[in-house]
Structures are given as C-alpha cells and as structure tokens.
Amino acid sequence: MAIHGYDPEITALLVIDPYNDFISEGGKIWPRLQAVAEANGCVPHMLQVLTAARNSRIRVFYAMHHRYRPGDYEGWKYIAPIQKAAWKRKSFEFGTWGGEIRAEFQPLPGETIVAEHWCSSGFANTDLDLELKKHGIHQLIVIGLVAHTCVEATVRYAAELGYDVTVVRDATADYTEEAMHAALDVNMPNYANAIVSTAEIVGSIAAMRPTLVETAGFD
Amino acid sequence: MAIHGYDPEITALLVIDPYNDFISEGGKIWPRLQAVAEANGCVPHMLQVLTAARNSRIRVFYAMHHRYRPGDYEGWKYIAPIQKAAWKRKSFEFGTWGGEIRAEFQPLPGETIVAEHWCSSGFANTDLDLELKKHGIHQLIVIGLVAHTCVEATVRYAAELGYDVTVVRDATADYTEEAMHAALDVNMPNYANAIVSTAEIVGSIAAMRPTLVETAGFD
Amino acid sequence: MAIHGYDPEITALLVIDPYNDFISEGGKIWPRLQAVAEANGCVPHMLQVLTAARNSRIRVFYAMHHRYRPGDYEGWKYIAPIQKAAWKRKSFEFGTWGGEIRAEFQPLPGETIVAEHWCSSGFANTDLDLELKKHGIHQLIVIGLVAHTCVEATVRYAAELGYDVTVVRDATADYTEEAMHAALDVNMPNYANAIVSTAEIVGSIAAMRPTLVETAGFD
Amino acid sequence: MAIHGYDPEITALLVIDPYNDFISEGGKIWPRLQAVAEANGCVPHMLQVLTAARNSRIRVFYAMHHRYRPGDYEGWKYIAPIQKAAWKRKSFEFGTWGGEIRAEFQPLPGETIVAEHWCSSGFANTDLDLELKKHGIHQLIVIGLVAHTCVEATVRYAAELGYDVTVVRDATADYTEEAMHAALDVNMPNYANAIVSTAEIVGSIAAMRPTLVETAGFD
C-alpha cells in the first residue's frame, strides 16, 4: 500500500464504544473479547492512539452504542438479531458501570460524543455525519470495538458517505480470530483507505503535531 | 379536500418541541409565541390531541430540539442562523426548567422520545425515521412548535421520506401571523396530505378507538 | 448582515431544476412562473451566476427533479400532494423537450448532475450530499426553481446536513410574489447564511478567480 | 432458528446487481465469481426466487451498482478502494453489454429499479428506502451479487434502517469461499433475520400466493 497522507485540518479520531462492558475487567462482554484483545494489546493501543491524537490536537469524536433502557424494544415490530441480543443481555445498561465509558477514555472538554447508535454503525440514525461536517472533517482514524460489527459497520458507512478511512488493526478486537480476520482482511480492505498498526498511526499523528517554535531572544 | 383516512395500526402522533421555553408562562421564547398561540388556543388544543391519541391507543412520538449545553457550537466551522440564535439565547438549556417538557405533556411509559434535533427537522440526524419504521408507522399527525421552522421542516422531511402527513393547524403557533400563514397556507399544502382543526382530528382519532365490546352473559 | 466570505476550494454552485418546463417559453409550468421570473430577471440572472462560477472555476452541481415516466406512482400507497400534481401534470416528462435542461444551462464536462429528486429537496434520496463530500464542498451558492418548494427544501436540507448556504434572491422565481416572499423573507433567513443579489454574488465569485499572473519579459 | 413468517403485503424481493458483467458468460467479473457461483447454483437459484416472487405477486425491486461513465471520479478528493477498482476496471460500463441486466432478469412493468449506488449499499445515496416506504414494505428477501460487498452492505444498511431481512444463501456468490463464509456465516447472522436456501424461500413465497378460488357452478 502506498503511503497514506493526513491533513490535520480535516482529520479526526473516531473512538467506537469504549464502554466498560466491552473493555474493562468485570464488563459483561469483556470475557468474550479478552482473548483477542489481550493478544493484540487492543486497550493499551487504543489509549496510545487517543493520547497521540490529543497531543497533536486532532479532533476526537465518540460513537457510542445505545445504552439499554427498559422499554426500548417492547413496541418494535421488527428487530435485528444483534438488537435482540443487546436487549436480552441489557448491554451497556444505562445508569450502570457497564454503560459508562472506561475511565481512561473519558472525553475531554472540546471532544464530541455523538448520539447513541441503535444497531452497529456510528452513522446510522445519529448526528455523527453532521458533527463531522460541522468540523470540516473528511479523514477518519478509527479505533474501538467490535471489529466485525460496530467497527466494520461504521467503516462501511463512512466509505458510503464519502469519507477517507484509516483503521488501526491492533486497536480493535473481536470475539474470535476468525471474525477479526473477516473484518480486517476480507471486508475492510474494500472500504478503508489504510489499515495500519498503532505504531504506524502514532507516527503519522505525531507528524501532524502543530509546530511550536519559540525563538529565544538575546539579552 | 377529500376525506382523509387513517389506519390506527400505522398512524402515530408526533409532538414537536413541547418545552417550557416555548409553551409555558415564564419560558424564554413564550413571549414571542404568546399572541398567536393564545389566539388559536394552541396549547389546550395540543393537549386535546394528545389525550385523544392516548385514549385511542395511537402511538405517540416526541421530536425534541437540541437542549443547549456549553461547548456545543464552539468548534463548528459552519453554523446556520437559526443555530446561532439558539446558541446566543441558550434555548432549552439542559438542566433548566426551560429545557424540560411542559408538565401536562410528559411522555408516558411506552411513548418514544427520539434523539434531539440540531436544526429544525425532527428527522435530520436523529432516529425518528428508525423508530417510526420499527413501529410500522406510515401516517403522522403533527402538532407542536414552531409552525414555520421545526414543524414545517419536519413535515417537509416526512414527505421527502415517504410518510403521509396531517398537520393540526390550531395545535401549532408562530411568532407572527405572517409566518403562520406562510407555513400553513403557502408551504405545507404541498407536503401535508391534510391540514385540519383540532376538532376534526379529535373526531378522526376517536373513530380509530379500538372497540372493546364485552357481551354480558346471562346467568 | 456581515460580509460573508467564500473559500473557492470548498465552494460550489448548485443549480436547481433548470428544465425547459420551468424556465423556457413553451414549458408546461413557465406560464405560472413568468410574471415573477420576468419581474426579477430570474433566467438571465441564473445564467450570469453560472457564467461567473465557470469563469472562476467554482464547481457546478445540478440538482434535477424527477422526470415523469409512466408507472412511477401507480404502486405507491402514500403520495405527497406535490407529487400527485407532478403525476397529473407529467412534469418534466422523460424523453420530451420539457424534461430537458434549457440549452444555455447544459452542464459542461466536469460538472456533476446528481440523481433526480422525487419530492422537493435536491438532497433527499439522492447522491448530492455524497458528491459534495467527494469534492470537499462545504459552501453552497444556490440558484434555480421554485423558490418556496425545491429551492427552499434544498436550502433547509443543506442547513440540516451542515452546509453553509447562500441564496441568490433574483436568480430564483415563484408562482406568486406571496410565495416568493414566504421563501426569501420568512423562512430562508433561518437557514441561509446569506441571501444576496446576482450583482453581489457575481462580485464575490469574481473575487475567487484564480490569479493568473503573466510577467511580461523584456526584449 | 425459529420459523420466520412473511406478510405478503409488506414483503419485497430485492435483486442486487444482476449485471452481465457479474453473472453472464463473457462478463468482466464473471471469471472471479464463476467457481463459487457454479458450485452453489447461484444464477439458476436467483431466477427461481425471482420467478416465485412474480408468481406470488411479491413486489420486486432492483438495486443496481453505478455504471461506469467517463468523468465519474476525476474530480473526487476522496475515494474508497472498491471505487478505485471499479474506476480502473470500468465495471458495468454504461452503454455496454456488461452494464446491462442479464436478459432473464429484466424487470417487468410494475417492478422498480432504484437509483444506482456508488459504493456497495443499495440504500446509500439512493431512493431505495423511499421506494420501499412508498410501497409499505418492511420485509426484504435479498438475492444477488457480491455476497461480502454489495449484498452484505445492503443487508447491514437494511438492518440499520429498520427492515426485517432474509438472505438466500445459494442465490448469492463471491470471489472466494472464504469471503462467502465471512459474509454468510460470520457477519450476516447479526443483521439478517433469516438466512435460508432457495428451496426454503421458494416454499415460503409460494405460501404467500394470493388465493384464487373459483367455485365451479352447477348447471
């Protein structure tokens, strides 16, 4: 793959579903992600990318899954299997620790949390596209969970909507290596303009750092 | 206009922006709406329509405007005039009484509040279309505020997205009679399938009431 | 209103519905538009703005209404009044002169005609947003027909989706002065960042012209 | 999986990309699909499902990929890898045999071809959602090409937008068995309410056939 360039003015980091239920010890779904996530260092890598983005003043957006609330689905005539599972499991239950963003990933002032998504794509039925447009963003760096569901869905939508997308392959995880492989190696190469490692993207982001040159005066 | 029919299975009431700031004594924007709203009995009519819908088990959805929160707009490169005004005015400020739904209009269990809209249309950048689809809704009865901004925008979007729309002309209000006229008489007749009075729609809704016939047995 | 700036890199001209049926002598709907259009010089103004944009290498996009084809509406369960009228009137009938773009407004190579819209907004159910994103556009200059239907609908959608919008008030027209006034003076000031004359926008566009400096050599 | 029911009033067949380039001997991309498609009988199965739908008066919609035209991509600042490939390959070139629907799959009067999609999802930037709403459709039966790109993308979008989706597993194909498996077994079970064989769906569709009972009179 050729070198992929970034323009800091139009680049944002998109963090998908950094909920305790997903990526914290004790979270409801963590046991299913743990093997793959620990093997590739997903959580520390996510943090490295986030820190790099903040240091380089790259804008940060959070695409968060719908947090379960009682009554959400009772009146629905149609429901996708993944929604049925979230209902049964009460994933990211509103008002519980599992439905909170893991402490190290708490948004800072000036960072944007968009409306919760109901299925898998951070764009579908939310204001993510609007917020990106309002900030003039065209290039997305994507990290988070889960590779073959929310991450892939968001990457596919981003491509459909016209964004340039980079996925960080060791800052995501999945329930099995097979699902991870389907997402990263079979599907995303059609939609992501670059699929890179944390080390690579941290280097690219550092290169976008605003130059602060203070000339020392003479006295 | 010919008689417009409703099928209760696919009909919903859509209540737009029943915030204290809009329709309660003491609300920030109420003084600008008061003259038109009191002249046509907007608030009591809204309540009559809501009550009729509940009595007939017509589904109720709430399309609510974004509540102002500090930091919302600071990073935006592009902003519409109506958003600039909402920013300056801190309309429907989150955590304040003005940003609460007026007491009589509080949603009941089983009613759906969709994600807040950022501009005027209840559909744009929200899950309103999704929630309507999930409930199998194709016909909308629309009430609320403000006629030529959020109500008209939502009606136009509804028509663009394929819904059958009814507007209740004395269950909405506006800043001036001229703006009210532009919305109800110039623009909406292109997009709304029916524009009716509260008395008319309450009659239509009552006719949709599920029949509960219990035959008393003999003993 | 403060001076509104344009960045040529992210600015496009959007031409709405320059069909013969609308703006040519002999067109089906021209008789209804003629009075307002001739009073404000709509058609020559549209051409001036288009020419200015081309001279300054501002990108040009065409948002075109659905051209009537037999069978379009027969299976629809729900239809907006404006669609019913287009059906009955066979507006912009496919394969007829009325459904062709007026000769002087023919797109040039490199200009983009987006998918036809079914109701009024050039964005709804089309690839307009995608094409604008793909070209990096954030600022739109809007001309065309009809002020209170397709033009207003497109302006409202543009604002909802996050674009900065300028409307050229004497490069649009309407069926009545009242409808024109409702669009330009009552509604659009909420959504358009600037509403200007042809003379003003032609000046702004000329200022965006790429500078071509040829230094004369000495001999 | 439990038995999945269909209501003929709200069910449609969605045929994705039945272009000669994909599924006809001599098509540009057929050589890449041939092995998987012949192994599972994809093309005859597609035809069986289409015929069954027509016999049962189930509505048919066609979601067609953008046909290559010169100038499509030259001005784009951002482009997805799958679009770059379509550009280079001139897939489904407009005006050529490869860009025509394979003869046996030609739409009949009353069937709907929606606007062409630019990436993979039949919904993105098109009028597919609108046409489905206008016909009151909530349940989709999906057949066509290619399993892990356009079919999966359309299925994912359908689920995001609120539709009930059935995929016919032997009426689709892919470039490799691995990609087919990723689509049908890893990803789609999250989004499709049923994944069935042609034999199964043909049975379900036949059961939806309108009953035509003519009682023979006595004479």
Side-chain angles (χ1 to χ4, degrees):
Chain A
M1 183 175 292
I3 288 169
H4 190 70
Y6 302 92
D7 173 351
E9 277 302 300
I10 60 170
T11 297
L13 175 66
L14 183 60
V15 186
I16 300 179
D17 292 340
Y19 283 121
N20 284 319
D21 264 352
F22 263 158
I23 53 168
S24 295
E25 190 75 32
K28 273 180 195 165
I29 313 171
W30 171 244
R32 297 176 60 206
L33 286 169
Q34 187 169 8
V36 174
E38 290 186 349
N40 76 350
C42 171
V43 180
H45 284 147
M46 285 174 63
L47 201 53
Q48 274 180 261
V49 179
L50 177 60
T51 304
R54 286 171 172 171
N55 287 342
S56 290
R57 312 243 171 225
I58 299 301
R59 288 209 161 270
V60 182
F61 295 80
Y62 289 77
M64 307 302 296
H65 202 280
H66 183 76
R67 287 173 286 176
Y68 172 79
R69 296 165 178 84
D72 282 344
Y73 303 100
E74 278 73 1
W76 284 17
K77 293 183 179 173
Y78 316 102
I79 185 164
I82 200 169
Q83 292 166 329
K84 226 180 281 182
W87 181 7
K88 187 180 166 193
R89 194 181 281 132
K90 300 187 183 178
S91 305
F92 323 120
E93 189 170 3
F94 187 80
T96 70
W97 170 85
E100 287 171 14
I101 292 177
R102 182 172 158 147
E104 302 93 315
F105 294 88
Q106 282 299 332
L108 298 183
E111 296 177 351
T112 304
I113 309 180
V114 303
E116 298 174 4
H117 49 274
W118 277 99
C119 184
S120 288
S121 168
F123 287 96
N125 312 300
T126 76
D127 54 348
L128 177 53
D129 184 63
L130 174 73
E131 285 282 8
L132 295 177
K133 278 220 210 76
K134 287 295 194 186
H135 291 88
I137 301 301
H138 291 277
Q139 297 192 293
L140 292 174
I141 298 164
V142 179
I143 62 173
L145 293 303
V146 172
H148 82 299
T149 55
C150 291
V151 175
E152 184 178 328
T154 304
V155 168
R156 282 176 177 261
Y157 257 73
E160 297 281 357
L161 300 183
Y163 292 93
D164 177 283
V165 187
T166 295
V167 175
V168 187
R169 60 182 305 128
D170 52 2
T172 183
D174 214 313
Y175 304 136
T176 64
E177 290 291 354
E178 184 191 39
M180 188 81 165
H181 171 67
L184 290 175
D185 304 318
V186 178
N187 286 338
M188 288 189 195
N190 290 304
Y191 307 104
N193 300 80
I195 301 178
V196 301
S197 68
T198 295
E200 287 166 332
I201 199 66
V202 164
S204 298
I205 292 173
M208 288 189 268
R209 198 166 299 177
T211 316
L212 298 169
V213 181
E214 277 187 276
T215 308
F218 296 101
D219 60 356
Chain B
M1 184 175 290
I3 288 169
H4 190 72
Y6 301 90
D7 173 351
E9 276 303 299
I10 61 169
T11 297
L13 175 66
L14 184 60
V15 186
I16 301 178
D17 293 339
Y19 282 122
N20 285 319
D21 265 352
F22 263 158
I23 53 168
S24 295
E25 191 75 32
K28 273 180 194 165
I29 312 171
W30 171 245
R32 297 177 61 205
L33 287 169
Q34 187 170 8
V36 173
E38 290 186 349
N40 76 351
C42 170
V43 180
H45 285 145
M46 286 174 63
L47 201 53
Q48 274 180 258
V49 178
L50 177 59
T51 304
R54 287 172 173 172
N55 287 343
S56 291
R57 312 245 171 224
I58 299 302
R59 287 209 163 271
V60 182
F61 295 80
Y62 290 78
M64 306 303 296
H65 201 282
H66 183 77
R67 289 172 286 177
Y68 172 79
R69 296 164 178 85
D72 282 344
Y73 302 102
E74 277 73 1
W76 285 16
K77 294 183 177 172
Y78 316 102
I79 185 165
I82 199 168
Q83 291 167 330
K84 225 181 278 182
W87 182 6
K88 187 179 166 193
R89 193 181 283 132
K90 301 186 182 176
S91 306
F92 324 119
E93 188 170 2
F94 186 81
T96 71
W97 170 85
E100 287 170 16
I101 293 177
R102 184 174 157 147
E104 301 93 315
F105 294 89
Q106 282 299 333
L108 298 183
E111 296 176 351
T112 304
I113 309 180
V114 303
E116 299 175 3
H117 50 273
W118 278 99
C119 186
S120 289
S121 168
F123 287 96
N125 313 299
T126 77
D127 55 349
L128 177 53
D129 184 63
L130 174 73
E131 285 282 7
L132 295 176
K133 278 220 212 77
K134 288 295 193 187
H135 291 86
I137 302 301
H138 292 277
Q139 297 192 292
L140 291 174
I141 299 165
V142 178
I143 62 172
L145 291 302
V146 173
H148 82 298
T149 55
C150 291
V151 176
E152 183 177 331
T154 304
V155 168
R156 282 176 177 261
Y157 257 73
E160 297 281 356
L161 300 183
Y163 292 92
D164 177 284
V165 188
T166 295
V167 176
V168 188
R169 59 182 305 126
D170 52 3
T172 184
D174 214 313
Y175 304 136
T176 63
E177 290 291 353
E178 183 190 38
M180 188 80 164
H181 172 67
L184 290 175
D185 304 318
V186 178
N187 288 337
M188 287 187 196
N190 290 305
Y191 307 104
N193 299 80
I195 301 178
V196 301
S197 68
T198 294
E200 288 166 331
I201 199 67
V202 164
S204 298
I205 292 173
M208 287 189 267
R209 199 165 301 176
T211 315
L212 299 170
V213 182
E214 277 187 276
T215 307
F218 297 100
D219 59 356
Chain C
M1 183 175 292
I3 288 169
H4 190 71
Y6 301 91
D7 173 350
E9 277 303 299
I10 61 170
T11 298
L13 175 65
L14 183 60
V15 186
I16 301 178
D17 292 340
Y19 282 121
N20 284 319
D21 264 353
F22 263 159
I23 54 168
S24 295
E25 190 76 31
K28 273 180 195 165
I29 313 171
W30 171 244
R32 298 176 61 204
L33 286 168
Q34 187 169 8
V36 173
E38 289 186 350
N40 77 351
C42 170
V43 180
H45 284 144
M46 285 173 64
L47 201 52
Q48 274 180 261
V49 178
L50 177 60
T51 304
R54 287 171 173 172
N55 287 343
S56 290
R57 313 240 171 229
I58 299 302
R59 288 209 162 270
V60 182
F61 295 80
Y62 289 78
M64 306 303 296
H65 201 283
H66 183 76
R67 288 172 286 176
Y68 172 78
R69 296 166 180 84
D72 281 345
Y73 303 102
E74 277 73 2
W76 285 17
K77 294 183 176 171
Y78 316 102
I79 185 164
I82 200 169
Q83 291 166 330
K84 226 181 279 183
W87 182 6
K88 188 179 165 190
R89 193 180 283 133
K90 300 187 183 177
S91 305
F92 324 120
E93 188 170 3
F94 186 81
T96 71
W97 170 85
E100 286 171 16
I101 293 178
R102 184 174 157 146
E104 302 93 315
F105 294 88
Q106 283 299 334
L108 297 183
E111 295 177 352
T112 304
I113 309 180
V114 303
E116 299 175 3
H117 49 273
W118 278 98
C119 185
S120 288
S121 168
F123 287 96
N125 313 300
T126 77
D127 55 347
L128 177 53
D129 184 63
L130 174 73
E131 284 283 7
L132 296 176
K133 279 219 209 77
K134 287 296 193 185
H135 291 88
I137 302 301
H138 291 277
Q139 297 191 293
L140 291 174
I141 298 164
V142 178
I143 62 173
L145 290 302
V146 172
H148 81 298
T149 55
C150 291
V151 176
E152 183 177 329
T154 305
V155 168
R156 283 176 177 261
Y157 257 74
E160 297 280 357
L161 299 184
Y163 292 92
D164 177 284
V165 188
T166 295
V167 176
V168 187
R169 60 182 304 126
D170 51 3
T172 183
D174 215 313
Y175 304 136
T176 64
E177 290 291 354
E178 184 190 38
M180 187 81 166
H181 172 67
L184 290 175
D185 303 319
V186 178
N187 286 339
M188 288 188 195
N190 290 305
Y191 306 104
N193 300 79
I195 300 177
V196 301
S197 68
T198 293
E200 288 166 331
I201 199 67
V202 165
S204 298
I205 292 173
M208 286 190 268
R209 199 166 300 177
T211 315
L212 299 169
V213 181
E214 277 187 276
T215 308
F218 297 100
D219 59 356
Chain D
M1 182 175 293
I3 288 170
H4 191 70
Y6 302 91
D7 173 350
E9 276 303 299
I10 61 169
T11 297
L13 175 66
L14 184 60
V15 186
I16 301 179
D17 292 339
Y19 282 121
N20 284 319
D21 265 352
F22 263 158
I23 53 168
S24 295
E25 191 74 32
K28 273 181 194 164
I29 313 171
W30 172 245
R32 298 176 60 206
L33 287 169
Q34 187 169 8
V36 174
E38 290 185 348
N40 76 350
C42 171
V43 179
H45 284 146
M46 287 174 61
L47 201 53
Q48 274 180 259
V49 179
L50 177 59
T51 304
R54 286 172 174 172
N55 287 342
S56 290
R57 312 241 171 229
I58 298 302
R59 289 209 161 270
V60 182
F61 295 81
Y62 289 78
M64 306 302 296
H65 202 281
H66 183 76
R67 288 172 285 176
Y68 171 79
R69 296 165 179 84
D72 281 344
Y73 303 101
E74 278 73 1
W76 286 16
K77 294 184 177 173
Y78 316 102
I79 186 164
I82 199 169
Q83 292 166 329
K84 226 181 279 183
W87 181 6
K88 187 178 166 193
R89 192 180 284 132
K90 301 187 183 178
S91 306
F92 323 118
E93 188 170 2
F94 186 82
T96 71
W97 171 86
E100 287 170 15
I101 292 177
R102 183 174 157 146
E104 302 93 314
F105 294 88
Q106 283 299 332
L108 297 183
E111 296 177 350
T112 304
I113 309 180
V114 304
E116 298 174 3
H117 50 273
W118 278 98
C119 186
S120 289
S121 168
F123 287 96
N125 312 300
T126 77
D127 54 349
L128 177 54
D129 184 63
L130 174 72
E131 284 283 7
L132 296 176
K133 278 218 211 78
K134 287 295 194 186
H135 291 88
I137 302 301
H138 291 278
Q139 297 192 293
L140 291 174
I141 298 164
V142 178
I143 62 173
L145 291 303
V146 172
H148 82 298
T149 54
C150 291
V151 176
E152 183 177 330
T154 304
V155 168
R156 283 177 177 260
Y157 256 74
E160 297 281 357
L161 299 183
Y163 293 92
D164 177 283
V165 188
T166 295
V167 176
V168 187
R169 59 182 306 127
D170 52 2
T172 183
D174 214 314
Y175 304 135
T176 63
E177 290 291 353
E178 184 189 38
M180 188 81 165
H181 172 67
L184 290 175
D185 304 318
V186 178
N187 287 338
M188 287 188 195
N190 291 304
Y191 307 104
N193 299 80
I195 301 177
V196 301
S197 68
T198 294
E200 288 166 330
I201 200 68
V202 164
S204 298
I205 293 174
M208 287 189 266
R209 198 165 303 175
T211 314
L212 298 170
V213 181
E214 276 186 278
T215 307
F218 297 100
D219 59 356

